[in-house]
Amino acid sequence: MSLWADLPTEVLDMISKCLDSRVDLLCFRAVCTSWRYSASLPSFDQEIPRLVLKLPPPFHADAILMQTAVCRMELTSKHRSSFFSFSKSWLVKVGQSKYGQLQLWNPLTNHRIKYSPTSLNLIDFKFVQLNKAFSLKRSRRSLVSGIIKFFPFPMAASCSDMDEFGILAICHEGKLGYWRSGDVGWTLLGDMNFQYDDIIVWKDQFYVIDTWGTVYWIHPSLKVIQYSPPLYGCGKQKNLVESCGDLYVVDRYLDGERSTCEDFDYEDVMDYIYNSGRVSNLRKQSRSTAAEMRVYKLDEELGTWVDVKSLDDQIFVLGTDCSLSISCRDFNGGKGNCIYFMDGDDYARRGLSACSIHVFQLEDRSSEKLDVIPEFSDIFWPPNIV
């Protein structure tokens, strides 16, 4: 530690100026005394300028771009109290208020965490970023409706350079669109008859998946290029997840309207297989809950999908704006080989108390609300004290 503390002031100054957010700067200052004095404290009495995007039709909204980080929140062993001696770490979404103050959210529900059993001193806690999440909010903090999921495109574009800033989004009815600051409208990408379920940044590249399980690479020129063979999975919702460097698909089957390939017209399916997926209006609308999930891993070398029976120690977390994989060995409570997700009507972001989070266990193929199996909630902050 003394070697880090003895770094030249000019080096520390260079490091602090490269930090992306005030949250990172606060963590930087919490390392030691010399680091604290090398970087000035962010001002909390001045509002941070927000990036406001004037979205064109059909949204017609002045939207504020919000960026958060899904983190592993660790209590440092040096400051471990007897109360937290059992703990490893917790999963939490970290952001900042308009004045740069630290704020925490549940990574699945986006429910603001206002209670904490202890003060969040950044000397006592360490935040390890696992993934980034983005959202578009109106001035009253409500989300912009009609945009299911999006990323800044390209990711390297600076928010301060509006001429280069754009977003790649999956919009209503599964359309893939691109909008660049200053454009009067959206540019629809890919085949207009396709329906896309999810988008992910994997190995610093953008990928989307359609309703039949075909993964496409988004070229920097915005050309949509097929990357994988079709999965032909008949679930109603597909989510992309990166785990240990590999790409996975979670295929959800819905209760009450659980579809199989027999549910679709044979000629439509054949049309998809032989004509690059040009099938329209095949997805049935449903507000049912997920009754079954199947997981597949992309074998890049063979160009095939592998049916995954077990995730071992991994936990898949399917958030509304960010999905990721974590190891149960790194977190307090919970078990591996399961999937945390939110269901249909539960997207109202009502928080843990409203039973909005569900857990699917691959071992016995069961799905339960989190309040029925409270021991699985221990991976989230704040910890269950009772």
Side-chain angles (χ1 to χ4, degrees):
M1 186 62 198
S2 60
L3 295 177
W4 287 106
D6 294 337
L7 283 176
T9 304
E10 57 270 19
V11 173
L12 294 175
D13 182 62
M14 291 174 60
I15 296 174
S16 65
K17 290 179 179 179
C18 293
L19 300 178
D20 292 334
S21 69
R22 296 191 177 191
V23 175
D24 291 336
L25 186 57
L26 289 174
C27 293
F28 175 89
R29 286 173 46 84
V31 171
C32 63
T33 302
S34 62
W35 287 38
R36 186 175 303 113
Y37 285 117
S38 69
S40 59
L41 182 68
S43 173
F44 294 119
D45 58 357
Q46 295 182 352
E47 186 172 344
I48 303 172
R50 296 296 176 92
L51 179 61
V52 179
L53 305 177
K54 295 185 178 297
L55 299 179
F59 305 106
H60 292 290
D62 288 349
I64 300 173
L65 176 67
M66 307 291 292
Q67 177 178 333
T68 53
V70 180
C71 297
R72 184 173 70 244
M73 176 177 161
E74 301 176 353
L75 186 66
T76 60
S77 57
K78 180 179 179 180
H79 299 89
R80 228 179 256 270
S81 65
S82 59
F83 180 78
F84 287 114
S85 60
F86 64 87
S87 65
K88 294 181 180 178
S89 55
W90 300 270
L91 189 67
V92 68
K93 183 177 285 187
V94 182
Q96 55 189 7
S97 71
K98 65 180 181 179
Y99 292 105
Q101 296 171 322
L102 185 70
Q103 291 184 335
L104 304 180
W105 291 269
N106 181 279
L108 269 167
T109 65
N110 284 334
H111 181 72
R112 172 80 183 281
I113 299 172
K114 298 181 179 180
Y115 163 77
S116 176
T118 183
S119 60
L120 295 180
N121 189 327
L122 291 179
I123 297 179
D124 299 338
F125 290 91
K126 179 173 68 173
F127 292 90
V128 180
Q129 181 172 305
L130 305 176
N131 212 336
K132 292 181 179 180
F134 301 91
S135 61
L136 289 172
K137 296 187 177 182
R138 298 178 185 272
S139 58
R140 295 182 179 180
R141 301 303 183 190
S142 62
L143 293 176
V144 175
S145 60
I147 295 181
I148 299 172
K149 191 174 182 179
F150 82 97
F151 286 98
F153 186 89
M155 287 286 282
S158 172
C159 295
S160 60
D161 187 1
M162 290 302 297
D163 292 335
E164 297 296 328
F165 187 83
I167 60 176
L168 186 66
I170 295 179
C171 304
H172 181 61
E173 296 182 345
K175 302 304 179 184
L176 180 64
Y178 170 76
W179 174 78
R180 183 174 177 176
S181 178
D183 289 353
V184 296
W186 289 80
T187 301
L188 293 181
L189 308 179
D191 194 297
M192 298 303 100
N193 293 318
F194 282 20
Q195 296 180 9
Y196 298 97
D197 277 2
D198 199 10
I199 182 172
I200 192 174
V201 177
W202 176 50
K203 297 181 179 179
D204 297 322
Q205 300 292 322
F206 292 84
Y207 297 86
V208 293
I209 187 169
D210 68 14
T211 191
W212 287 102
T214 303
V215 175
Y216 300 86
W217 170 48
I218 311 298
H219 188 271
S221 66
L222 298 177
K223 186 177 181 180
V224 181
I225 302 172
Q226 183 172 340
Y227 187 78
S228 81
L231 179 62
Y232 302 132
C234 297
K236 296 300 183 65
Q237 172 67 38
K238 293 172 176 62
N239 290 95
L240 293 169
V241 182
E242 178 183 356
S243 180
C244 302
D246 294 312
L247 187 64
Y248 289 75
V249 171
V250 178
D251 200 11
R252 303 194 205 186
Y253 292 77
L254 303 183
D255 189 17
E257 201 174 49
R258 183 173 174 177
S259 61
T260 64
C261 290
E262 287 77 15
D263 292 329
F264 302 112
D265 183 84
Y266 175 80
E267 293 182 357
D268 281 342
V269 176
M270 290 301 102
D271 179 68
Y272 175 84
I273 295 173
Y274 294 111
N275 295 286
S276 302
R278 291 181 173 85
V279 180
S280 60
N281 300 322
L282 286 184
R283 181 185 298 173
K284 300 176 182 178
Q285 298 299 319
S286 174
R287 296 165 68 111
S288 303
T289 59
E292 171 69 5
M293 291 188 175
R294 297 177 185 175
V295 181
Y296 303 90
K297 174 184 174 182
L298 179 62
D299 187 322
E300 290 186 273
E301 184 176 348
L302 298 179
T304 59
W305 291 104
V306 179
D307 190 3
V308 177
K309 301 300 183 183
S310 174
L311 299 178
D312 298 322
D313 68 321
Q314 293 297 303
I315 299 172
F316 283 5
V317 181
L318 308 181
T320 57
D321 52 13
C322 174
S323 296
L324 69 155
S325 175
I326 59 177
S327 172
C328 65
R329 299 175 183 176
D330 295 331
F331 290 85
N332 178 61
K335 298 179 181 179
N337 197 29
C338 65
I339 301 171
Y340 288 72
F341 65 102
M342 293 189 58
D343 244 339
D345 294 337
D346 292 324
Y347 280 102
R349 311 185 193 289
R350 292 168 293 182
L352 290 169
S353 61
C355 313
S356 57
I357 298 178
H358 299 243
V359 180
F360 181 83
Q361 301 181 62
L362 274 73
E363 183 177 2
D364 59 5
R365 321 300 301 179
S366 66
S367 180
E368 298 282 358
K369 291 186 176 182
L370 191 61
D371 67 330
V372 178
I373 45 176
E375 65 274 13
F376 280 76
S377 68
D378 289 339
I379 70 169
F380 299 111
W381 181 270
N384 186 359
I385 301 177
V386 181

